[in-house]
Amino acid sequence: MKAKIGLFGFGAVGQGFYEILNSMNGTAPGHVARICVRDRYKTRPLSPENFIFEPAEILNDPEITHIIEVIDRPEDAFIIVKKALELGKTVISANKAMLARRLPDLLKIQQQHGGKLLYEASACGSIPIFQNLEHYYAHGEISAVEGVFNGSTNYILTRMDMDGLDFDEALGLAQQLGFAESDPSLDIDGHDPASKLVLIAAHAFGQWVEPAQVVTFGIRNIRRADLEFAKANGQKIRLLASARKSATGALQLLVLPTLVGPDSSFYALENEYNGILIQSKFIENQLLTGKGAGSLPTGFAVLSDLAGSVKNGSSRNNRPLQLQRKTPHFFETLRVYCRCPDAGLLRQLPFEKILRKEAGESGFQAEAEIAAVNLAPVIVALRQNGGFLAGMASSPAHAQIQSNVSLVSAPV
Ligand SMILES: NC(=O)c1ccc[n+]([C@@H]2O[C@H](COP(=O)([O-])OP(=O)(O)OC[C@H]3O[C@@H](n4cnc5c(N)ncnc54)[C@H](OP(=O)(O)O)[C@@H]3O)[C@@H](O)[C@H]2O)c1
């Protein structure tokens, strides 16, 4: 049987999904019965009679079995998804900001009312990470999941690196291409990859960490001096999200720009591509890559959930997700690169050791060691001060970095 679909949102993802569905002719797993959007005055690529503005017209239609929620407002999305699950509908959502805050509540509602919640499109666009973790890795004994989880910032870093664009120019391009969130601070301050990390960690480890507890630093403060430092070392800067389990079961969740060399799994990931490295007991390292943003790749991930649920009834994601609430513990000592505009501030930061430092036009550049537990206050100070911090060789999957830049010691 084909699904009768109520589509919420007709922006980048909604239109991508709609285009793919309509290109499938007789093989499409469903048809869109109604499209609900917000702005009554917007010019749209379909004629006005295709659109409605009252969610109830979809939610109260008993023939609409499948809800696709691809809107950009997390609070509105939660109300729509909650109501649809209470009505026992199948819901497919791409809204990581909403899911990262409300997944445990929604799982309870799903259990009580028999609806089904699927969200493959919410993390890393076209990479089927949740299907993989739920099915292939059901007994996988995962020790770490790490990667580039944000297509927009990877695109910005690539354009800055390859074309010499400045940060604002590269961000503008990412927005034009539909990669960036409508509120770009979610991307450039690292909140978007932190949301995805929480969801991915939930499926990899069965543990629920609040997004605010992920230590997060984005690329808003990146400057040419930082890219030049990386280049001089034969490296690039990538925004990496990582969830690592210690031998004692503690979970550490970080989102941090990181210097990666040619032998890192993430060095070759350019533009809007995402990559996820899963480390597990029997397989060791497995890398999944694919487009992490954009209308069609994300629309296809939505379609994949829809097709799976139509084919298998409600049995897709059939391992009920049992989540244990967990406070993360920051147990590693990291080697980091730090650019700090203010010598006095650099002296105060709680590094274990400063290994090298150099004074330049944009402040002091240093290589240092820091206990991960001390990252949060350092990040707050650097964020306010226009400084920048990036991890160096943070995991076994990264090569140990041998700096070939000789940094001259300068008084700090
Ligand atoms: N873009 C990507 O590459 C990507 C990738 C993965 C996940 N996502 C996620 O997918 C979702 C959609 O992203 P997008 O890029 O498609 O956003 P977008 O281009 O900004 O489009 C958002 C759509 O949501 C509609 N909308 C907002 N509030 C609504 C409400 N209360 N009721 C009905 N419709 C409402 C908007 O209506 P109007 O048209 O009337 O303004 C618009 O059509 C977000 O959660 C995003 O995080 C995006």
Side-chain angles (χ1 to χ4, degrees):
M1 217 180 69
K2 299 211 171 190
K4 189 167 173 186
I5 301 161
L7 175 60
F8 284 90
F10 204 64
V13 182
Q15 290 181 38
F17 165 74
Y18 190 84
E19 183 184 332
I20 296 170
L21 195 74
N22 283 338
S23 71
M24 294 175 76
N25 302 318
T27 61
H31 74 278
V32 174
R34 289 201 172 97
I35 307 173
C36 181
V37 286
R38 201 175 61 90
D39 182 347
R40 290 172 189 268
Y41 305 104
K42 204 182 240 184
T43 311
R44 303 195 186 269
L46 300 178
S47 54
E49 64 273 14
N50 286 286
F51 297 97
I52 59 162
F53 303 91
E54 282 304 324
E57 287 183 45
I58 289 180
L59 294 168
N60 293 339
D61 181 341
E63 288 185 6
I64 294 186
T65 49
H66 287 67
I67 301 295
I68 291 180
E69 179 279 299
V70 284
I71 75 174
D72 57 342
R73 296 173 167 236
E75 295 78 18
D76 295 359
F78 178 68
I79 294 167
I80 292 164
V81 170
K82 177 173 179 282
K83 183 76 188 158
L85 288 175
E86 284 168 352
L87 291 164
K89 296 182 192 284
T90 295
V91 182
I92 295 163
S93 173
N95 208 313
K96 56 265 178 161
M98 180 274 287
L99 292 163
R101 277 182 238 157
R102 307 309 286 261
L103 184 66
D105 305 327
L106 293 172
L107 291 177
K108 264 189 215 147
I109 297 167
Q110 173 185 248
Q111 213 169 14
Q112 284 162 2
H113 296 272
K116 194 78 206 160
L117 177 61
L118 302 167
Y119 41 87
E120 193 59 76
S122 66
C124 304
S126 65
I127 302 174
I129 183 61
F130 296 120
Q131 291 180 42
N132 202 32
L133 292 174
E134 280 307 302
H135 297 284
Y136 189 70
Y137 278 99
H139 305 284
E141 297 194 37
I142 293 171
S143 54
V145 184
E146 175 177 40
V148 172
F149 292 178
N150 182 269
S152 161
T153 44
N154 208 53
Y155 182 82
I156 292 169
L157 291 169
T158 305
R159 298 275 63 89
M160 288 179 79
D161 198 32
M162 284 185 173
D163 304 339
L165 296 188
D166 71 26
F167 180 80
D168 290 332
E169 287 172 316
L171 170 62
L173 266 183
Q175 286 175 310
Q176 272 172 33
L177 291 166
F179 302 148
E181 292 296 317
S182 35
D183 172 4
S185 64
L186 295 173
D187 296 313
I188 63 179
D189 291 327
H191 303 304
D192 175 82
S195 292
K196 293 166 181 168
L197 184 64
V198 163
L199 296 172
I200 289 172
H203 284 263
F205 304 107
Q207 296 182 357
W208 184 255
V209 174
E210 293 298 330
Q213 294 181 308
V214 178
V215 168
T216 303
F217 191 54
I219 61 163
R220 185 188 285 272
N221 286 358
I222 195 166
R223 297 288 174 271
R224 190 124 301 282
D226 307 316
L227 292 164
E228 278 164 11
F229 178 88
K231 216 169 223 171
N233 283 280
Q235 295 163 342
K236 297 176 183 172
I237 297 176
R238 293 287 172 260
L239 183 58
L240 294 192
S242 64
R244 275 177 225 297
K245 213 159 95 168
S246 74
T248 57
L251 198 58
Q252 173 181 283
L253 272 73
L254 298 174
V255 173
L256 215 55
T258 303
L259 292 154
V260 295
D263 39 9
S264 158
S265 305
F266 308 115
Y267 183 83
L269 285 181
E270 305 286 13
N271 296 311
E272 74 271 35
Y273 273 81
N274 281 191
I276 307 177
L277 184 71
I278 302 170
Q279 293 171 12
S280 68
K281 187 171 175 186
F282 306 109
I283 303 176
E284 297 183 7
N285 294 330
Q286 186 178 47
L287 180 71
L288 307 169
T289 64
K291 285 196 173 180
S295 182
L296 294 175
T298 314
F300 185 83
V302 170
L303 178 89
S304 169
D305 269 347
L306 174 71
S309 95
V310 168
K311 191 170 169 207
N312 304 326
S314 59
S315 67
R316 183 83 176 272
N317 277 10
N318 50 7
R319 202 160 62 102
L321 192 55
Q322 305 284 344
L323 294 178
Q324 241 189 335
R325 284 193 183 267
K326 188 94 177 171
T327 303
H329 283 276
F330 297 92
F331 52 85
E332 287 183 324
T333 296
L334 308 177
R335 184 164 172 164
V336 292
Y337 156 80
C338 173
R339 178 180 48 75
C340 183
D342 176 345
L345 175 64
L346 184 60
R347 238 190 330 261
Q348 285 165 23
L349 297 176
F351 292 120
E352 302 292 299
K353 271 190 233 164
I354 292 188
L355 304 164
R356 301 149 185 240
K357 59 185 177 288
E358 175 183 72
E361 271 174 30
S362 10
F364 286 87
Q365 287 173 300
E367 283 181 44
E369 281 180 5
I370 184 166
V373 73
N374 288 329
L375 273 171
V378 170
I379 283 170
V380 169
L382 291 173
R383 203 180 273 143
Q384 286 167 356
N385 215 273
F388 186 71
L389 183 110
M392 301 177 84
S394 61
S395 88
H398 296 288
Q400 198 61 40
I401 293 162
Q402 296 297 323
S403 169
N404 58 17
V405 169
S406 102
L407 293 170
V408 180
S409 273
V412 177

